[in-house]
Structures are given as structure tokens and as C-alpha cells.
Amino acid sequence: EQFIGMLNKISASVERINTIIKHMRSFWSSSDGEEREIFNVNAVVISALSIMMRQLSSHGIKVVTELSDSPLLINGVPIHLEQVVINLVNNSMKALDAVSRKDKIITIHTSIEEGDARLEIKDNGKGFAEGVPKQLFDPFFTTRKPGEGMGLGLTIVKQFVEEHKGVITCKNNPSGGAIFTLTFPISQTNRVND
């Protein structure tokens, strides 16, 4: 019975590994087959926050949105950018959970800067004690405690950003916390409408 129990545990662990690998493959698979479209970055931010807002509120986190008055139209897969926003906001939430600060705030700002769509997500958590690690976006790198993450979230975020021909950078927030900045080329449709 003990041997059968061990085999069952091994089988369950293998199945879990298989599920994780399938999940990872779905993220890393080429988006060539996905339908690309022109979409508004602001609408994606609002959609992502509608999914996260109840959870953020239960964690005592206030979200400040400073969205551009002009639509920020880019070419890509909206659900992928929504996953980017959810992942970054979720990371900020976990960072804020680790601090005993009265006012826990995540600010999301969008704008047009030098002809590009700009999306900034910042929190007032503790940031990176020794500066932003160079390997921050590398697979399996994590700043969390063992068992708290696989270190794939920011790698997937970076891939989705680059899929939209964008760039992502990170720096410490001078008032505490981290700032992630994403820039994307604005679609020609947006340029014509401006």
C-alpha cells in the first residue's frame, strides 16, 4: 500500500509537470495564427482592471488611472496585452502585500510620447533593494522566496510586449516601489486620426 501510495504521488506530480509545460507552450507558441487587430491600449487597461479590481480592493490597494484622452491605437492581440497588464498589476499587488504602508497605491498612466504609445505601471512598494536585476526578464529568475513563483511571469510579459513590437523597461520608483514602462509603435490608423 505504501508503494502504491508513492506511485500515485509520482503520477500526480508528473501530471502537474505536464500541465505546467502545456501551459508554458501555450504562452510561447507563435501568435502568427492569432488574429491581430487595431485596438486601444486604454480599453485593454480598463478591461484588465475590471478583472483585478475586487482582488486589489480586498488587499487594501488603491488604483489610480491616468489614461490618455486620445485613444492609443496599436496593432496586435488585445488578450495578450491584457495578460501583460494583469501580470504586472498582480506583481505590484504582491509587492505591496509585503510592505506595511498605510496607503498602498498602484498608478497606471498612458500617454503618447515621441510618437509611441506609452503605458506605465508603478507601485509604492519596496522596489528592488540593490537596483533592478539585469536578469529580471530571464526565464526562471525570481526575486520571490522559494516556492512563491516559477520566474516565468515577466519572461512571458516581455515576449508579449515584443510581439507588439514594443519595449519594456523597469526602474525603481524614487518614492518607493517599481515602475514598469512599456512603449509601442502607434498604428498608422491612429496617426491618420490625430
Side-chain angles (χ1 to χ4, degrees), residues 3-191:
F3 182 70
I4 290 172
M6 290 172 65
L7 281 177
N8 287 336
K9 285 183 180 179
I10 291 169
S11 179
S13 296
V14 169
E15 187 57 37
R16 183 171 177 270
I17 291 168
N18 188 43
T19 301
I20 291 170
I21 290 170
K22 283 181 180 176
H23 186 63
M24 288 168 56
R25 281 180 178 164
S26 71
F27 279 115
W28 262 283
S29 62
S30 171
S31 62
D32 293 342
E34 301 258 13
E35 187 154 343
R36 299 175 72 84
E37 59 185 89
I38 306 295
F39 65 91
N40 187 353
V41 173
N42 290 339
V44 167
V45 169
I46 292 167
S47 177
L49 287 178
S50 71
I51 295 169
M52 295 285 297
M53 198 54 78
R54 182 172 292 182
Q55 189 178 7
L56 290 164
S57 178
S58 71
H59 285 247
I61 296 170
K62 178 183 177 183
V63 177
V64 176
T65 53
E66 304 168 342
L67 303 185
S68 166
D69 291 333
S70 302
L72 303 181
L73 302 183
I74 68 172
N75 188 353
V77 183
I79 191 71
H80 286 184
L81 188 60
E82 186 176 287
Q83 287 298 317
V84 166
V85 175
I86 289 172
N87 194 300
L88 293 176
V89 169
N90 188 56
N91 283 355
S92 288
M93 180 180 70
K94 288 180 179 176
L96 288 167
D97 284 344
V99 297
S100 56
R101 187 189 294 271
K102 183 181 177 183
D103 297 317
K104 299 181 178 185
I105 302 171
I106 296 174
T107 304
I108 302 180
H109 177 84
T110 65
S111 60
I112 297 176
E113 302 285 341
E114 299 179 0
D116 289 329
R118 181 184 175 105
L119 168 61
E120 185 179 88
I121 299 175
K122 68 180 176 180
D123 62 69
N124 64 341
K126 59 182 181 180
F128 301 97
E130 298 177 8
V132 179
K134 291 181 180 178
Q135 65 271 44
L136 185 64
F137 298 101
D138 289 354
F140 305 110
F141 175 80
T142 180
T143 57
R144 294 183 192 151
K145 295 176 183 176
E148 290 187 1
M150 291 192 299
L152 291 173
L154 288 178
T155 304
I156 293 166
V157 162
K158 186 171 187 280
Q159 176 173 332
F160 280 170
V161 169
E162 290 176 348
E163 168 190 296
H164 291 82
K165 306 205 182 313
V167 175
I168 182 169
T169 59
C170 179
K171 64 181 180 181
N172 273 331
N173 184 351
S175 59
I179 303 175
F180 283 87
T181 303
L182 295 71
T183 55
F184 304 95
I186 292 177
S187 76
Q188 294 302 312
T189 303
N190 201 97
R191 295 183 194 282

